[in-house]
Amino acid sequence: MGRNILASSLQNASFSIVFQIFCRCITFAINAFIVRNVGRDVLGITNVRLLLLESTLLFLSKEAIFRAALSAKHNKQCNWAQLINQLWITVPVCFALSIPCLYIWLNWLSTVEDNFYDQYRFGCFAIAFACVIELTAEPPIFISQVFCFVKLKVVMDTAHIFIRSCVFITIVLLNKNITIYAFGIAQIISASTIIIGNYLFFYLYIPRLLKYRNELKRVDDKYELRKSYGNNYENMDDFPFNSVKDMLPAVLPNSNSPFNSDLQTLIFSFAKQGVLKQVLTEGEKYVMSISPVLTFSEQATYDVVNNMGSLAARFIFRPIEDSSYFYFTQTIARDIDLSNQNSDKVKEAGLVLSYVCKTVTSIGLLGFIFGQSYSGTVLLLYGGKDFVEGGLPEVLLRWHCLAIVLLAINGITEGYMFATNTSKEIDTYNYYMAFFSVAFLMLSYQLTNWIGPVGFILANCCNMAFRISYSLYYIRNQFKAIKQNPLTNFLPGPLFLTILIACGFICKISEAYFRDRSVMYHIIIGILCTGISLLTWSFENRQLLRTGMARYRERKTSLTGETN
């Protein structure tokens, strides 16, 4: 394809990070408003119970199909008609899953107080309906990612969160007693935004692309034509759609079968893995919901602290993980040994894996070191004195900072493994995932009964340590055949680690002396220490930064040349 997969992946990660910051800022503002004005019980119902239902339905319905479809580029027997049909399966799958899930959420999970039950019931049905209709937009969303419409994704995600937030806040300001009703209504309206926006874009884009192709064949002055149309139609000769109708199921011609058997096999492998991964990702929320180990108020406290503790994961690690996964699926083929693939692409993929691991691990260590001194300050500014009273939120956030380091390494290494696993290897890993899941749930339940909410974090750390070990073992063995080891330089250097530890001690002294006297001085010291740490990392990794800047200039020069 004419698209630059690496450049698009990096651009997608950059835009996603900015979006995640925007999204989290809005979410934090809403959560703070609910904590201070509505109550923690409502926040526990919406952010733990209802969002867990949404996460369960969307993940189990589309994750396996979407990931398998991304890998279908390397399968020449799988055409676009089969991919579109496969993506549309997510809708009936979600509808079928919503029936038992609604029954479980309304009848089996720990009870909701009577004064909230009617709103809670409406919220469950609203979430299920929003998930079902949102999945009708999967085909255009998938197409936009494959053909690198990065800005479309950013605009749609931003509109989604902005409209959802505006609708929710407007209703709550009118009547604070119907907060859960407002949450459900906002979910439905924002899901409709995703559908309308994605289909409308391609409804307007495809005719203009076809017109550009026709005019390109007839004119001699290609420069003026490109100038008038812009760069959005360059390198799109392989775009196979002539109408939005082609994105509906069973519309494209020349399909011997509506589905591809190889793709189906890969989907089933991902599906089995997806169930286990969902348990590992949301395990603590399932334990909270099934067993009354924590009240809704305590669940809300844990959720707020968990969101803060996973800021780096949401802002930085998750976008980088998604973009890296996309890059690796498009660069390295499954079912083919690395020694039999393009050596330049394999070498580049190894370097990208090494550089990305080093970068996210450094970010994780920054969060861990400075989180030990600034957890209490952040929570005090966020929720007020009443929220931090008792010290539990501060203890939770400090432990979360340890989990950040493991999240950083696990996201990239496991993402690479999933992007390059064969169906057989995925099935093998599913057995390990089953063990990890059972161990995680048992540890979560037992540790929480012993030491409270901190037990969830410790269980999660153990789980991630197991998964990281397996991923590193897989990567080392895969690259051994070509005598390359991306893991050699994936950890930060000694100079950065030394300066980071020294800055951590300085910030602990600042916390003991300044936090109760002047929060501003304490924050300024933290900013200075962070700056020193970042400068040290930049100096130690100056060759990596030079390489990145050189690639950026090459890309910019290439785009300028195409325009001219």
Side-chain angles (χ1 to χ4, degrees), residues 323-395:
S323 297
S324 298
Y325 177 84
F326 173 69
Y327 166 73
F328 292 131
T329 58
Q330 305 303 298
T331 305
I332 296 180
R334 303 178 190 268
D335 301 314
I336 302 176
D337 291 337
L338 293 186
S339 57
N340 297 325
Q341 298 190 42
N342 185 301
S343 59
D344 291 335
K345 287 187 176 181
V346 171
K347 183 178 180 180
E348 181 187 76
L351 289 174
V352 169
L353 176 61
S354 178
Y355 291 155
V356 172
C357 281
K358 176 181 287 189
T359 302
V360 298
T361 304
S362 301
I363 296 171
L365 289 172
L366 279 170
F368 171 70
I369 293 296
F370 291 105
Q372 304 310 305
S373 303
Y374 289 90
S375 295
T377 304
V378 171
L379 290 168
L380 179 65
L381 296 175
Y382 178 78
K385 292 183 179 180
D386 292 339
F387 182 72
V388 298
E389 188 177 0
L392 176 61
E394 184 174 353
V395 173

Side-chain angles (χ1 to χ4, degrees), residues 429-552:
Y429 186 61
N430 286 339
Y431 293 107
Y432 289 96
M433 290 280 279
F435 169 75
F436 297 156
S437 300
V438 173
F440 172 63
L441 292 176
M442 293 177 62
L443 279 172
S444 296
Y445 182 78
Q446 196 60 51
L447 290 175
T448 306
N449 281 322
W450 286 348
I451 57 179
V454 174
F456 284 127
I457 304 171
L458 293 179
N460 201 28
C461 289
C462 294
N463 161 52
M464 284 188 290
F466 293 145
R467 291 161 64 181
I468 290 169
S469 300
Y470 187 92
S471 300
L472 295 179
Y473 174 78
Y474 168 82
I475 293 170
R476 190 187 66 176
N477 282 349
Q478 189 189 39
F479 278 88
K480 186 183 294 184
I482 61 171
K483 298 180 180 179
Q484 182 181 350
N485 188 2
L487 305 179
T488 304
N489 298 313
F490 88 110
L491 291 176
L495 178 61
F496 170 74
L497 292 176
T498 302
I499 295 298
L500 189 61
I501 293 172
C503 289
F505 278 116
I506 293 172
C507 289
K508 287 300 293 182
I509 295 172
S510 170
E511 180 186 30
Y513 186 79
F514 281 120
R515 195 176 78 170
D516 295 333
R517 293 178 173 85
S518 174
V519 173
M520 182 61 67
Y521 286 147
H522 182 46
I523 293 175
I524 290 173
I525 291 174
I527 293 173
L528 292 174
C529 289
T530 303
I532 293 172
S533 301
L534 292 175
L535 287 174
T536 304
W537 188 92
S538 300
F539 173 77
E540 196 169 43
N541 296 276
R542 55 192 180 278
Q543 185 59 46
L544 171 59
L545 295 178
R546 288 195 192 105
T547 302
M549 290 301 297
R551 291 292 181 91
Y552 173 76

Side-chain angles (χ1 to χ4, degrees), residues 83-104:
L83 285 178
I84 294 297
N85 289 337
Q86 200 74 58
L87 290 166
W88 273 98
I89 289 181
T90 58
V91 178
V93 168
C94 185
F95 180 80
L97 287 173
S98 65
I99 296 173
C101 283
L102 283 172
Y103 182 81
I104 292 171

Side-chain angles (χ1 to χ4, degrees), residues 164-175:
R164 185 180 69 182
S165 302
C166 287
V167 172
F168 176 77
I169 292 174
T170 300
I171 298 176
V172 172
L173 288 176
L174 293 174
N175 188 346

